[in-house]
Amino acid sequence: METVPSQEFALREKMAAFYAGHQAWLQGWLRSRLGCPQDAEDLAQDTFVRVIGSALQPDRLDAPRSYLLTIARGLTIDLFRRRDLEREYLAAVAHLAEDSLPSEEERAQMLDLLVQLDTMLDGLGKGVKDVLILAQFDGLSYQQIAKRLGISLRTVNYRMARAMEHCCLFRIEHGLPLP
C-alpha cells in the first residue's frame, strides 16, 4: 500500500472539509437561481473542481462563499451561453433534409467549436469584433467595412490587427493550433 505524504494528506483533508462545509449551501443557492436540481448539482461540482484545480488552499480564503459564488456565477453564465448557442445551432440545421442532418458526434463537435469561437469573440471590444465578423464571416473587404461602419481604412486595419492578435493569443492560451 502506498503512503501519502503528510502534507498532501492534510491538503486532502482541508479540501474535503471545505467541500463538506459549503457544497450543500452552494448547490441550494444554484438550485434557487436555476430552478433545476440537476444543473445545480453539475455546476456545484464544476465549481469545486475549479477550486481544487486552482491549488488555492481553502484555509487561505478570506471569504470562501464569495469565492465560490464568483466561480459559480461564471459557470452559470457559461451554461446559459452554451444553451443559447445550441438552440441557435439546432434552429440553423432544422431546415436540412433528414439525410443531411449531422450525427450526434458531429453536432457535439460543432457545438464545442461554436462555444470556443463565442468565448474567443467575447474577449474583443465591439468595434474590433464588428470588423472581424464583417471581414471573416461576411467576406467584406477592408474598404467595404470602412464604408459600412463609417470609419477610416486605417482604423479598420488597426482593429483587424488587434482582432488577429487576440485570436492568436486565445488559441495559444487554450492550447489550440494556430492557423
Side-chain angles (χ1 to χ4, degrees):
M1 182 171 149
E2 188 176 313
T3 60
V4 177
S6 61
Q7 270 187 326
E8 187 177 327
F9 182 76
L11 179 58
R12 285 183 184 179
E13 289 292 310
K14 288 177 186 176
M15 289 307 262
F18 182 72
Y19 179 85
H22 299 287
Q23 191 276 339
W25 165 81
L26 180 62
Q27 191 170 332
W29 183 87
L30 285 164
R31 190 174 33 254
S32 72
R33 300 301 187 280
L34 299 171
C36 176
Q38 294 84 6
D39 286 344
E41 186 176 337
D42 288 346
L43 288 181
Q45 294 304 323
D46 289 348
T47 300
F48 283 101
V49 166
R50 292 253 177 119
V51 170
I52 291 167
S54 74
L56 182 62
Q57 294 187 20
D59 58 342
R60 294 196 177 155
L61 289 173
D62 293 330
R65 289 190 172 184
S66 177
Y67 181 67
L68 289 169
L69 286 179
T70 299
I71 295 170
R73 283 185 186 115
L75 291 171
T76 301
I77 290 167
D78 291 347
L79 173 71
F80 288 133
R81 287 175 74 176
R82 183 177 181 87
R83 286 190 178 157
D84 286 345
L85 283 170
E86 185 173 16
R87 217 176 354 267
E88 290 176 26
Y89 172 72
L90 292 174
V93 299
H95 71 281
L96 295 176
E98 186 78 24
D99 60 339
S100 299
L101 288 174
S103 69
E104 286 299 319
E105 182 180 349
E106 291 169 328
R107 286 172 59 175
Q109 289 173 343
M110 182 57 71
L111 186 58
D112 286 343
L113 182 61
L114 288 170
V115 168
Q116 285 179 2
L117 183 59
D118 182 61
T119 303
M120 182 173 57
L121 292 176
D122 189 50
L124 294 173
K126 180 172 175 18
V128 175
K129 186 189 302 186
D130 290 345
V131 168
L132 179 67
I133 288 172
L134 290 172
Q136 297 297 313
F137 299 111
D138 293 348
L140 298 182
S141 70
Y142 287 14
Q143 280 299 101
Q144 292 168 319
I145 294 169
K147 185 174 181 178
R148 179 175 291 180
L149 297 179
I151 58 178
S152 71
L153 186 57
R154 183 178 187 157
T155 300
V156 172
N157 281 310
Y158 171 76
R159 289 180 181 175
M160 195 63 175
R162 295 256 334 262
M164 290 299 145
E165 176 187 31
H166 173 83
C167 292
C168 286
L169 289 174
F170 178 89
R171 294 177 76 93
I172 290 168
E173 289 171 7
H174 290 84
L176 302 171
L178 292 172

